[in-house]
Amino acid sequence: MGFKFVHAADIHLDSPLRGLERYDDAPVEEMRSATRRAFENLISLCIDEGAAFLLLAGDLYDGAWRDYNTVLFLIRQLNRLREHDVHVYVVHGNHDAENVMSKGLDMPGHVTVFGSKKPEQYSHPSVPVVVHGQSYPRTEVIEDLSAAFPQGGRDLFNVGLLHTSADGRSSEHKPYAPCSLQALIDKGYQYWALGHVHRRTELCLDPPILFPGNLQGRHIREAGPKGATLVHVDDDLRARPEHRDLDVVRWHHCEVTVSAADTPDAAIDRAVERLAALRRADPERPLAVRVRLTGQCDAHQKLVEREEHWANELRGRASSIEALWVEKVQLDTRTPVDLVALRKQPGALATLLRCLDDCRGDEAGLRSLAAGLSPLRKVLGRLDDAPLFEEPEELRALLGEVEQLVVPMLLDGGRRR
């Protein structure tokens, strides 16, 4: 008999969306309720698809959140599944392992929460499925929890439910409960439902071993479509996963090449055109967009001289696009001056460029520069997305920006022949 189930993770109920709160016209209410509405979409997906069960692979809550309205909302939504005989299997991850709302909470009878002392196994009452899982006993788990999971039983669809960094290939997430891909394959399970990595990642297709990504992006580092995985299981117990979008506010990176722009206005016009196209391509939900202007252009000098002004100009013009907000504007344009040719010429500017080249290749010099920028780091540290100027690559990028700004200024805006 074939059946379906849904795999979701990293719900972070009532976790705030960050990045647009300083804008008066931002969709504050939609942002505040986004994780709840995405969870409602998840429940509806289970019902509409006739899923036999729902897997939740950790981080239902966000840290030590203490608002019991979050719990009440969760139980109300899970009770919608009881009415349709959809069972729910839950493990706790690093964010909800020690959550006060998780302790002593009586879940509805159709919801199974795995313990944290050792792996547990639960059979589904109506389909040939056994789910193996283990919750985190504490926030930081550095041991391989999967090692103690039993081998998969025959003639059954075995599911592993685990909150893990897996092989640690994602540098964005802490290496909790690490395990090797081969070790998971060797367990003989037909599906591994993982959580912790917020970007949808398929580690293996046969058997499917994957992170569905989080349900709702909460800031620009969680850009792109977000949702859950709907899994079709054939009569021969082979799984076919497919992603389903469930997010209600979406974050985007929008890179705009403005090489043909001879004025800042022309560059801004090009960016607004791209944003309008993005809106047309994704018309179903509010969009929060980080815009990055790139390319070698005549407008470069005037753009960087009044960076904040032109960023606000872009936001103002983009406000005419319905349900789209510019989260941030990054200027990464370059001077039209041929710096390569200039390096080869005699004179002070060529010497300056060669000195900058030497600095970029001097590790000791970069460390000295980092020490000199320490007071600036303390000030910038209070700002969102502020550069730390600690890593060599960051400092090399800084020196590149100096080169792009100072040389054209010395050449009178790059127009002197």
Side-chain angles (χ1 to χ4, degrees):
M1 57 178 292
F3 58 90
K4 301 177 187 177
F5 66 90
V6 176
H7 167 203
D10 304 291
I11 312 300
H12 294 278
L13 276 177
D14 288 346
S15 177
L17 275 62
R18 304 189 302 274
L20 296 180
E21 57 273 12
R22 61 183 177 273
Y23 302 121
D24 292 339
D25 62 342
V28 175
E29 195 57 41
E30 288 176 280
M31 293 168 67
R32 183 179 297 120
S33 63
T35 54
R36 288 195 180 198
R37 292 170 56 205
F39 193 73
E40 290 171 349
N41 290 343
L42 173 67
I43 300 301
S44 295
L45 173 67
C46 294
I47 294 170
D48 295 343
E49 292 290 341
F53 55 94
L54 168 64
L55 303 170
L56 296 175
D59 289 358
L60 271 172
Y61 312 123
D62 194 27
W65 206 261
R66 296 176 179 271
D67 187 351
Y68 279 90
N69 287 317
T70 304
V71 175
L72 296 177
F73 168 81
L74 173 66
I75 292 178
R76 283 196 302 269
Q77 292 303 311
L78 294 178
N79 278 333
R80 290 173 57 197
L81 296 180
R82 180 172 58 183
E83 299 169 6
H84 296 270
D85 199 28
V86 181
H87 289 252
V88 184
Y89 300 95
V90 182
V91 294
H92 293 311
N94 56 294
H95 276 279
D96 54 4
E98 296 180 348
N99 194 290
V100 294
M101 295 188 296
S102 303
K103 298 183 184 299
L105 178 65
D106 290 329
M107 282 289 191
H110 66 298
V111 178
T112 299
V113 180
F114 286 79
S116 61
K117 293 182 179 179
K118 62 180 181 179
E120 298 175 344
Q121 300 81 45
Y122 293 94
S123 298
H124 192 279
S126 57
V127 292
V129 171
V130 59
V131 182
H132 310 265
Q134 182 177 355
S135 290
Y136 278 28
R138 57 192 179 278
T139 299
E140 296 189 4
V141 173
I142 59 174
E143 60 268 26
D144 178 3
L145 296 182
S146 73
F149 279 44
Q151 290 296 123
R154 295 184 177 182
D155 301 322
L156 290 171
F157 189 87
N158 294 269
V159 175
L161 183 59
L162 184 63
H163 198 80
T164 174
S165 61
D167 57 8
R169 69 181 64 186
S170 174
S171 60
E172 300 173 8
H173 302 279
K174 293 184 177 180
Y176 292 149
C179 57
S180 75
L181 176 59
Q182 189 59 51
L184 298 183
I185 294 173
D186 290 345
K187 291 294 181 182
Y189 295 0
Q190 284 67 45
Y191 188 89
W192 276 95
L194 308 182
H196 186 52
V197 174
H198 288 192
R199 186 188 303 273
R200 177 177 172 80
T201 307
E202 294 180 338
L203 300 180
C204 183
L205 294 179
D206 186 18
I209 302 175
L210 62 89
F211 298 94
N214 56 333
L215 209 57
Q216 167 62 56
R218 298 168 298 153
H219 42 71
I220 193 61
R221 294 190 302 279
E222 296 177 348
K226 297 292 182 179
T229 297
L230 174 66
V231 184
H232 304 258
V233 180
D234 299 331
D235 292 342
D236 60 358
L237 299 183
R238 293 183 65 86
R240 295 181 291 107
E242 62 171 298
H243 174 77
R244 289 294 184 88
D245 292 348
L246 299 174
D247 50 344
V248 296
V249 177
R250 184 166 295 172
W251 301 82
H252 280 281
H253 290 277
C254 181
E255 183 170 316
V256 185
T257 301
V258 294
S259 299
D262 55 358
T263 67
D265 280 306
I268 300 305
D269 287 343
R270 175 61 179 149
V272 174
E273 290 172 3
R274 285 290 309 279
L275 291 172
L278 185 62
R279 174 75 281 175
R280 291 192 296 271
D282 191 356
E284 298 181 0
R285 55 183 64 78
L287 305 180
V289 187
R290 177 171 291 187
V291 181
R292 179 169 170 257
L293 303 184
T294 68
Q296 190 174 26
C297 62
D298 290 333
H300 167 76
Q301 190 67 23
K302 290 184 177 179
L303 283 170
V304 297
E305 285 175 353
R306 302 181 66 196
E307 184 171 349
E308 185 174 356
H309 167 81
W310 292 114
N312 288 328
E313 181 71 15
L314 175 52
R315 288 192 183 96
R317 295 190 198 180
S319 65
S320 62
I321 303 173
E322 183 179 2
L324 182 146
W325 289 264
V326 175
E327 178 261 356
K328 188 175 184 179
V329 179
Q330 294 178 322
L331 292 182
D332 196 21
T333 55
R334 291 175 289 117
T335 176
V337 176
D338 188 345
L339 298 178
V340 175
L342 192 58
R343 278 176 169 81
K344 300 176 182 178
Q345 299 175 7
L349 284 179
T351 301
L352 171 62
L353 288 171
R354 289 193 290 270
C355 284
L356 290 172
D357 290 339
D358 291 340
C359 288
R360 283 192 284 263
D362 181 2
E363 293 291 332
L366 290 174
R367 288 194 295 271
S368 177
L369 177 59
L373 291 172
S374 179
L376 182 60
R377 281 202 303 274
K378 293 179 181 178
V379 175
L380 294 178
R382 306 189 190 108
L383 305 176
D384 292 336
D385 299 323
L388 296 177
F389 300 139
E390 291 179 328
E391 298 298 323
E393 287 308 312
E394 261 193 319
L395 293 169
R396 290 188 181 97
L398 173 64
L399 291 171
E401 292 176 17
V402 169
E403 176 181 279
Q404 291 287 323
L405 179 64
V406 172
V407 173
M409 288 176 62
L410 295 174
L411 283 172
D412 191 24
R415 290 181 174 81
R416 200 177 80 179
R417 297 290 185 264

